[in-house]
Amino acid sequence: MSHGKLREEKDCLNCGHTVEEKFCPHCGQENIQTRQHFHYLFTHFIEDFTHYDGQFWKTIKYLLFRPGKLTKEYLSGKRQMYVAPVKLYIFISFITFLLPSLLPHHEEPEKSENKTKIQKTQEKEQQAEATHKVIESLKKEGIISDKASAKTQKIVDSLKTKDENDDLIENSFKTGNTSIMNAHNMKEYEALQKKDNTGFYNFMKPVAKKIFELKGNGLTKKQMIEKYSETIIHTLPKALFIYLPIFAFFLWLFHNKRKWWYFDHGIFTLHYFSFLLLAILIFIIFKNIVSFLPDYFILNLFCFFIFSAIFIYMSVYFFVAHHRVYESSRTLSIFKGILLFIVNFIGLVCMFLALLYVSVITMH
């Protein structure tokens, strides 16, 4: 519902017809003043997408909890009560692409680890200082000789050096574990590539080159993982968008060509992919919330069940929606649904991997 100020004149500025109420009966334009307050830009933008009159929230409710309902309603001609399929998909894609990058990231474990290291260093220094004071005190009392105190101090220093060396070895070992297909640099990778007869090393060379390049620029293992995770999240909506017409094409192949047009399958695909994106967004938000919770067994078990439930529901959703929309017998619907699920799963994974490959090698 718009909050724009209405005009006193009754002529439509768009088509010239008489406007008796709020909207023009001929073209549908709202009869509001041409100049509004600045905040109207933002409120109008939000209202245009979410339709506070209930259209948006009703659409989301049916999309999440009534598989196939939106598609049946749209194909039967009931379209004014819901957000249009294309508009819905674009809006959810935009939110899924944008929101994960705005969510706060939990970094407390790393800080705790650094804090622990600092505490350990301080404790070692305090112990060394206390030991040194004891040795000096014994030396003054004449209990130990200068030679004995020097030997004792040497032993303490050697233990301290040993601890520092252990930390150095541990850190070096961790760094050494960062490898790509058993190679720690491009020279080792190219040596392994020459021995490979399958061509896999040759195919993965651009990816390996990019990873070693990022590593050489000073990125830590954690930063690289975060960068790859961000790339994966951004690639998934692209893969779904490109795969849209292919998914609809497979639906067209598996159903009666006279009863169901390609357009009908396109509407089903838009609604189903909108649900997938929305479910993925919920999964990401929930995962981000979980990262801030304490590491307790009961909480971890509860979160595992929630994640499993989301994944199972995403899988079952397609079969329920397919059965309700195409109104086949339950047995035939399940049989077609399984075939479509397998074929499209393989196709979507291939599309996703191809786009991910391109995204990784062009990463900055």
Side-chain angles (χ1 to χ4, degrees), residues 286 290 293 298-308:
F286 187 74
V290 168
L293 298 177
I298 300 297
L299 282 175
N300 292 336
L301 186 64
F302 174 74
C303 294
F304 172 77
F305 282 126
I306 294 295
F307 286 136
S308 301

Side-chain angles (χ1 to χ4, degrees), residues 22 216 256 281 334 343:
K22 191 172 183 179
N256 190 322
L281 180 61
I334 292 174
V343 170

Side-chain angles (χ1 to χ4, degrees), residues 323-335:
H323 175 65
R324 287 179 179 173
V325 171
Y326 293 99
E327 299 176 342
S328 305
S329 65
R330 186 166 294 181
T331 304
L332 182 60
S333 181
I334 292 174
F335 177 73

